[in-house]
């Protein structure tokens, strides 16, 4: 009995010590302090002709899971469950050598060509009509990117005609002949991919790109003035990178609706704190680009807005030099993805499109191994955001401990956004606890609005930051529990976790 009591006391003591080690924080939200409408297109994805993304990923006619069009039903279902709103296609670096006319008409007549971007042979089995079947199946907007590397102005304009013109023109009649009499009305068109990068096929300097893209933009809009154009912005944050965006915006501002940004994160030196601060760069790039957009809009007295399309983002470093880019993600990477999404939500007034790169197998939230589809760790934060974070982004006050890591100074341990969804009458609070091993006891104060005491907390976490999923085990996943909320309540965010709290507003 005595021993039992001592053990209990010891356990209690250890527990108390552990609790005492928790950090403290405060979050204040106010649903009147809205900062911007969240565009559902920030929950986009990307499929490139690269490795096993298209062939052996979304499309695998020989697989038992294939539908009548050759697309995998399991991938379609998981894409819908992920809440993907738009899919960018066909690249990526691939697009800068892609001629879309290779991918239409009878499949047995389509040419096989060497793709110089990734070194594979492209069979052209999946082309425009097939991809549009896929985007319909997953209920997502197609977002096409045109070839500004080896492509011609006519090619760009003809693609718009093929997809969007009513019958009666050469290319729209060709579309009808290929089985689709009605226009597809593809709305989103990218003017090239990463044209600022010298790795790009047909890379150009900012002036040459801008001149070429401007002529393409004019011809594409004259073919269909309802389309939205996305200029190729910065992907390479070396010295003077913002000059690229300034040149592009000065020259294309009348024709474009968005300028794109890309960013990939890496933890090459295995430094958790530094890795957890990596999205600071993303937010800086967005703010600098927003500044240049404002400068150009004010110079030309523009009424039309120009937004940012963050159309490639993800963690990518282990499989950086592998030809197939099959990155396996762990718990730590899931936190980085949640922080990318927090950045997009926090900047919802200017970031109106975002695309995780990519959808399946290739730096992707889902993977097929041994014939089986499974979800990587990064699937879960994206799913929570895409399913729940709609409506107005809110200004969020956060008071918590901070740290320095390398060039990153004063990084808050909590990365927080909050959202007011007027349709569902809910407040959503997204919290990443960056701390490797400390939980953070947080007082959450709702300053305006009458919130319910019933709420849910969905948590993406796992015992170890290195935990990964595979085709047998899902170590990293979402766990949902009911919690007690109210206008002021306390919640402890566990170490290295992403938590999404959802609270109803009382009528
Ligand atoms: O997503 C993989 C590659 O990363 C894309 O092809 C390219 O745009 C970027 O550099």
């Amino acid at each position: 009995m005595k021993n039992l009591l001592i053990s209990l006391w010891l356990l209690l003591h250890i527990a108390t010590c552990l609790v005492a080690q928790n950090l403290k924080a405060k979050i204040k939200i106010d649903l009147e302090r809205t900062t911007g409408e969240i565009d559902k297109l920030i929950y986009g994805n990307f499929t490139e002709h690269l490795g096993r993304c298209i062939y052996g990923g979304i499309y695998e006619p020989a697989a038992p899971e294939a539908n009548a069009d050759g697309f995998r039903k399991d991938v379609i279902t998981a894409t819908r469950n992920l809440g993907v709103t738009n899919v960018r296609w066909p690249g990526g670096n691939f697009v800068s050598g892609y001629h879309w006319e290779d991918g239409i008409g009878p499949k047995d007549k389509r040419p096989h060509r060497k793709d110089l971007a990734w070194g594979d042979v492209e069979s052209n089995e999946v082309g425009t009509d097939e991809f549009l079947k896929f985007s319909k199946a997953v209920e997502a907007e197609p977002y096409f990117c045109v070839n500004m590397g080896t492509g011609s102005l006519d090619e760009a304009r003809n693609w718009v005609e093929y997809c969007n013109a009513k019958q009666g023109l050469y290319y729209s009649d060709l579309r009808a002949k290929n089985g689709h009499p009605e226009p597809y009305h593809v709305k989103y068109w990218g003017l090239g991919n990463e044209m600022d990068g010298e790795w790009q096929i047909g890379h150009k300097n900012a002036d040459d790109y801008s001149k070429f893209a401007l002529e393409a933009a004019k011809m594409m809009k004259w073919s269909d003035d309802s389309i939205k154009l996305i200029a190729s912005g910065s992907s390479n944050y070396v010295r003077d990178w913002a000059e690229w965006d300034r040149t592009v915006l000065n020259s294309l501002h009348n024709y474009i609706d968005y300028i794109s940004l890309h960013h990939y994160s890496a933890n090459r030196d295995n430094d958790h704190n530094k890795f957890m601060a990596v999205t600071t760069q993303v937010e800086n790039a967005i703010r600098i680009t927003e500044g240049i957009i404002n400068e150009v809009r004010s110079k030309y007295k523009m009424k039309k807005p120009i937004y940012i399309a963050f159309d490639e983002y993800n963690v990518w470093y282990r499989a950086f030099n592998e030809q197939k880019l099959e990155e396996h993600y762990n718990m730590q990477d899931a936190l980085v993805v949640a922080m990318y999404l927090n950045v997009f939500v926090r900047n919802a007034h200017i970031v109106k499109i975002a695309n995780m790169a990519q959808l399946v197998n290739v730096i992707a939230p889902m993977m097929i191994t041994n014939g089986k589809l499974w979800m990587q760790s990064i699937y879960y934060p994206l799913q929570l955001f895409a399913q729940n974070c709609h409506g107005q982004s809110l200004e969020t006050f956060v008071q918590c401990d901070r740290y320095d890591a390398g060039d990153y100074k004063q990084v808050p341990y909590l990365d927080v956004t909050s959202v007011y969804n007027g349709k569902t009458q809910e407040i959503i609070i997204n919290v990443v606890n960056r701390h490797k091993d400390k939980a953070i006891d947080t007082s959450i104060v709702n300053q305006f609005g009458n919130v319910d005491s019933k709420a849910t907390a969905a948590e993406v976490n796992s015992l170890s930051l290195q935990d990964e999923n595979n085709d047998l085990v899902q170590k990293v996943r979402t766990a949902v529990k009911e919690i007690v909320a109210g206008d002021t309540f306390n919640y402890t965010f566990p170490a290295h976790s992403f938590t999404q709290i959802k609270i109803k507003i009382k009528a």
Side-chain angles (χ1 to χ4, degrees):
M1 185 62 186
K2 196 177 162 206
N3 281 351
L4 184 69
L5 281 175
I6 291 172
S7 309
L8 277 175
W9 179 86
L10 262 176
L11 271 177
L12 197 69
H13 184 69
I14 291 168
T16 318
C17 287
L18 285 176
V19 169
Q21 280 180 351
N22 286 1
L23 300 180
K24 302 266 178 264
K26 184 184 270 185
I27 296 173
K28 290 188 199 173
I29 50 171
D30 178 345
L31 57 84
E32 283 197 323
R33 292 182 191 247
T34 58
T35 59
E37 172 98 33
I38 297 168
D39 195 315
K40 68 175 177 104
L41 293 180
I42 68 168
Y43 306 123
N45 216 289
F46 171 39
T47 53
E48 177 167 6
H49 290 246
L50 157 55
R52 294 194 301 137
C53 182
I54 301 285
Y55 306 109
I58 65 171
Y59 182 79
E60 197 171 17
E65 291 78 8
N67 69 12
D69 297 317
F71 292 104
R72 286 187 67 120
K73 287 183 274 187
D74 51 358
V75 172
I76 291 172
T77 307
T79 305
R80 283 206 205 137
N81 291 343
L82 186 54
V84 172
T85 53
N86 78 85
V87 186
R88 183 168 174 256
W89 177 81
N93 296 343
F94 170 82
V95 78
S96 297
Y98 178 64
H99 299 289
W100 69 270
E101 285 185 65
D102 287 347
I104 55 168
K107 287 200 178 180
D108 58 349
K109 300 265 172 351
R110 296 185 191 177
H112 286 208
R113 294 199 196 272
K114 177 154 185 185
D115 158 32
L116 298 180
W118 302 105
D120 281 340
V121 174
E122 173 56 47
S123 69
N124 284 300
E125 236 185 290
V126 172
T128 302
D129 297 290
E130 291 79 22
F131 180 76
L132 287 166
K133 275 189 186 143
F134 174 74
S135 54
K136 194 170 173 198
V138 297
E139 296 170 4
E141 283 272 351
Y143 163 13
F144 282 9
C145 188
V146 302
N147 177 353
M148 300 265 105
T150 62
S152 71
L153 298 175
D154 264 338
E155 236 181 311
R157 162 268 174 111
N158 294 340
W159 205 6
V160 176
E161 185 176 301
Y162 183 87
C163 293
N164 291 0
K166 278 196 232 136
Q167 280 185 74
L169 297 172
Y170 177 78
Y171 282 99
S172 56
D173 284 350
L174 198 54
R175 179 194 68 229
K177 197 172 145 214
N178 290 337
H180 208 278
E182 288 308 310
Y184 286 113
H185 297 301
V186 175
K187 190 168 167 189
Y188 298 94
W189 294 81
L191 296 164
N193 173 71
E194 294 189 354
M195 296 308 295
D196 63 327
E198 39 115 50
W199 58 88
Q200 202 64 214
I201 301 171
H203 158 62
K204 296 174 176 53
N205 67 30
D207 287 325
D208 290 348
Y209 166 71
S210 298
K211 277 186 208 149
F212 189 71
L214 176 64
E215 296 313 308
K218 277 155 60 176
M219 291 167 68
M220 290 164 78
K221 282 258 187 188
W222 289 339
S223 298
D224 177 357
D225 65 5
S226 72
I227 61 174
K228 301 278 181 198
L229 292 178
I230 298 104
S232 175
S234 295
S235 64
N236 191 16
Y237 302 95
V238 288
R239 202 166 152 252
D240 292 340
W241 65 266
E243 287 314 309
W244 173 277
D245 289 352
R246 182 170 279 111
T247 307
V248 168
L249 284 160
N250 268 303
S251 126
L252 285 159
H253 61 272
N254 275 333
Y255 289 91
I256 56 168
D257 304 280
Y258 306 82
I259 181 161
S260 84
L261 292 178
H262 290 180
H263 186 273
Y264 290 97
S265 297
N267 184 18
R268 289 201 174 85
D269 43 6
N270 195 20
D271 181 333
H272 175 79
N273 281 349
K274 238 166 89 185
F275 194 36
M276 289 300 109
V278 72
T279 49
T280 316
Q281 289 173 3
V282 178
E283 202 139 7
N284 283 343
I286 289 171
R287 292 200 176 138
I288 291 167
T289 307
E290 181 181 7
I292 302 170
I293 292 174
N294 289 341
E295 173 191 305
V296 170
R297 287 188 65 237
S298 122
K299 180 155 128 196
Y300 297 103
K301 300 192 172 20
M302 288 177 67
K303 295 215 166 60
K304 177 175 78 76
I306 297 177
Y307 296 119
I308 292 171
F310 216 107
D311 54 16
E312 282 187 37
Y313 72 90
N314 208 342
V315 174
W316 175 25
Y317 62 106
R318 304 168 190 94
F320 196 78
N321 292 319
E322 272 175 26
Q323 208 194 351
K324 292 190 180 300
L325 279 63
E326 300 206 352
E327 188 93 17
H328 284 251
Y329 291 107
N330 61 23
M331 178 58 220
Q332 198 177 37
D333 303 323
L335 298 179
V336 174
V337 163
M339 289 189 290
Y340 272 111
L341 290 157
N342 262 348
V343 171
F344 303 147
V345 166
R346 200 159 33 239
N347 294 281
H349 63 287
I350 189 78
V351 179
K352 296 291 182 186
I353 294 181
N355 301 72
M356 175 184 273
Q358 302 191 7
L359 187 65
V360 53
N361 294 329
V362 174
I363 46 172
M366 10 174 157
M367 180 78 105
I368 301 162
T369 48
N370 301 319
K372 189 176 158 201
L373 180 78
W374 51 276
M375 308 309 136
Q376 296 234 49
S377 63
I378 61 170
Y379 184 95
Y380 295 103
L382 178 57
Q383 183 184 43
L384 284 170
F385 274 90
Q387 288 185 344
N388 300 312
C389 290
H390 297 279
Q392 295 290 333
S393 182
L394 301 175
E395 197 181 298
T396 313
F397 169 88
V398 183
Q399 195 177 59
C400 64
D401 289 282
R402 291 168 181 262
Y403 68 91
D404 292 345
D407 288 342
Y408 303 109
K409 305 289 175 212
Q410 290 298 293
V411 183
Y413 277 112
L414 290 186
D415 180 41
V416 188
T417 58
S418 56
V419 171
Y420 167 51
N421 186 336
K423 276 197 195 130
T424 58
Q425 283 299 306
E426 280 168 345
I427 295 178
I428 296 102
I429 310 171
N430 303 300
V431 183
V432 174
N433 178 0
R434 293 174 157 119
H435 208 294
K436 204 173 170 186
D437 37 43
K438 284 195 178 173
I440 305 189
D441 296 333
T442 308
S443 153
I444 300 174
V445 182
N446 176 52
Q447 298 190 294
F448 181 89
N450 196 4
V451 304
D452 212 330
S453 58
K454 269 204 207 151
T456 56
E459 186 182 310
V460 181
N461 204 350
S462 192
L463 280 179
S464 158
L465 278 164
Q466 309 315 322
D467 280 350
E468 290 177 7
N469 297 342
N470 57 41
D471 54 24
L472 298 173
V473 190
Q474 290 278 290
K475 283 190 183 165
V476 184
R477 56 190 311 160
T478 306
V480 186
K481 62 182 180 198
E482 299 215 328
I483 60 165
V484 179
D487 284 336
T488 300
F489 64 102
N490 293 317
Y491 192 82
T492 299
F493 296 102
H496 61 72
S497 61
F498 167 57
T499 308
Q500 185 178 77
I501 294 179
K502 208 159 58 161
I503 315 169
K504 272 271 177 212
I505 294 164
K506 282 191 202 150

